[in-house]
Amino acid sequence: MNEEFYITGLLQGNEQVFREIFEKYHTRLCYFASTFLATDQDAEDVVQEAFVKLWQKRADFPDLNSIKAFLYITVKNRCLNIYKHGKVVRKYEGSLEEGWESDAMIRIIESEVLENVFQALEKLPAGCRNVLHLSYFEGMKHKDIANHLQVSVNTVKTQKTRGLHLLKRLLKGSSLTLFLSHYL
């Protein structure tokens, strides 16, 4: 589907188009919000509120980038408001707000990168995907992964190397290639 389809559909109140936009950005926005908030449920609530606001203002967006920017800014601002509200000691609030702006940009980039990595991981063979998940997301050592999966340590090393090369190939052309080349 092209960008004009989404913008026109959203403008006309097409719920299916809205659902597709929701599915496209929901996961990454939840991750983004969860980096600021105490619970995943709070993050989910903030993201839901952002999508409600998007629906209410659906006639105001000329392209998908403006929708994406609106969603991230809405989520960031709501997280900041929650943070300020929950803060008992407001002694350093001014300097904390400045830190939030630069920190928010880093977290947006992190959310986008992780979404791309997770999508690419889903395309890997199960063995490679499992080994990479256990190694990088669970922090397990080769020996522990081998015991967990009931395979040899050499198999773990082979699957990990193969998975990283496949991941690099899947993400080739994206800004993640430079990032991944650092780890290969």
Side-chain angles (χ1 to χ4, degrees):
M1 304 276 173
N2 65 24
E3 186 170 9
E4 187 177 321
F5 170 81
Y6 286 113
I7 299 304
T8 303
L10 195 58
L11 183 61
Q12 295 172 347
N14 183 321
E15 291 180 16
Q16 178 59 35
V17 168
F18 181 76
R19 194 169 322 160
E20 288 180 30
I21 292 170
F22 177 87
E23 289 171 6
K24 181 175 179 72
Y25 296 112
H26 179 263
T27 302
R28 62 186 85 182
L29 287 167
C30 284
Y31 175 78
F32 175 61
S34 72
T35 64
F36 292 111
L37 301 173
T39 69
D40 289 341
Q41 185 58 51
D42 289 341
E44 180 73 32
D45 291 345
V46 166
V47 170
Q48 293 292 342
E49 287 175 27
F51 277 104
V52 168
K53 287 182 181 181
L54 173 65
W55 181 255
Q56 292 168 344
K57 296 177 179 257
R58 64 185 177 271
D60 298 343
F61 301 99
D63 55 40
L64 284 175
N65 282 335
S66 61
I67 291 171
K68 185 176 174 180
F70 171 82
L71 289 169
Y72 272 112
I73 290 167
T74 302
V75 168
K76 179 198 66 133
N77 288 342
R78 182 66 181 126
C79 289
L80 181 56
N81 288 341
I82 290 170
Y83 177 79
K84 283 188 208 176
H85 230 11
K87 198 75 177 147
V88 177
V89 180
R90 298 182 182 264
K91 185 176 176 182
Y92 300 103
E93 190 172 76
S95 63
L96 287 174
E97 284 181 42
E98 291 170 14
W100 262 72
E101 289 300 321
S102 62
D103 202 29
M105 184 52 71
I106 291 168
R107 292 175 191 207
I108 287 171
I109 293 167
E110 185 178 82
S111 298
E112 292 292 313
V113 167
L114 283 176
E115 180 67 20
N116 289 337
V117 170
F118 286 136
Q119 287 176 1
L121 279 171
E122 288 301 314
K123 296 176 183 175
L124 295 179
C128 295
R129 183 175 56 245
N130 290 338
V131 168
L132 289 176
H133 177 78
L134 293 171
S135 178
Y136 290 106
F137 296 103
E138 301 295 326
M140 294 174 71
K141 305 283 185 213
H142 289 156
K143 183 179 177 184
D144 298 329
I145 295 170
N147 288 336
H148 181 76
L149 297 176
Q150 298 179 342
V151 297
S152 71
V153 172
N154 283 337
T155 299
V156 170
K157 289 177 182 178
T158 301
Q159 291 288 347
K160 186 174 180 181
T161 301
R162 182 173 171 236
L164 287 172
H165 286 310
L166 289 170
L167 196 58
K168 185 176 180 182
R169 196 173 316 147
L170 285 169
L171 296 169
K172 188 173 183 133
S174 76
S175 57
L176 297 174
T177 306
L178 180 63
F179 173 76
L180 287 174
S181 66
H182 175 72
Y183 291 100
L184 294 179

